[in-house]
Amino acid sequence: MKTPLKPITRNQQNHTVSLLHQALAALGFSVSQKEVSKSIAGKNTIKKVRELQAKLKVPVDNNFVVDEATALAISKELVDQGLTAAGHSYKESGLVQLANGAFKKR
């Protein structure tokens, strides 16, 4: 199974951590707003990941917040709960103002 999550280390700060926060929230393990707003894998993120690892019976590798096995387990859980299905997508429509000032419906 391919997963957008990659291994994450303590205090890592990037888009992968933001994806982790989104996945954790979708699975009912919301992380503190402070860490979410900074996209950082801090103490609260680690706590929530450890809780999820226990629930999913994934062994903990203390060298990582999320290792390969955990990333795969999270992806599988999201799929199993139907949280990655196309039914969760949406489409936006509206008016776009063109460079010449005219409006076009999209």
Side-chain angles (χ1 to χ4, degrees):
M1 173 183 292
K2 187 176 180 185
T3 175
L5 284 179
K6 305 291 181 219
I8 296 171
T9 56
R10 184 180 310 267
N11 295 321
Q12 185 171 321
Q13 187 173 13
N14 60 17
H15 181 67
T16 302
V17 176
S18 181
L19 291 174
L20 171 64
H21 289 155
Q22 291 174 40
L24 289 169
L27 295 171
F29 294 86
S30 296
V31 176
S32 74
Q33 188 56 41
K34 181 179 176 183
E35 291 184 22
V36 170
S37 67
K38 294 180 179 182
S39 298
I40 191 165
K43 289 181 182 180
N44 190 248
T45 300
I46 294 167
K47 178 181 182 232
K48 299 300 181 171
V49 169
R50 297 300 182 249
E51 290 173 9
L52 182 58
Q53 286 171 318
K55 177 185 175 195
L56 300 177
K57 296 180 172 72
V58 177
V60 173
D61 179 346
N62 285 315
N63 294 312
F64 295 93
V65 175
V66 172
D67 60 3
E68 297 259 349
T70 302
L72 288 171
I74 290 171
S75 293
K76 182 181 182 314
E77 188 68 11
L78 289 168
V79 169
D80 290 352
Q81 290 191 24
L83 298 172
T84 60
H88 293 283
S89 64
Y90 60 93
K91 181 178 179 180
E92 291 186 20
S93 63
L95 293 176
V96 176
Q97 188 171 14
L98 304 174
N100 67 3
F103 290 92
K104 183 175 182 179
K105 189 174 182 176
R106 297 256 174 155

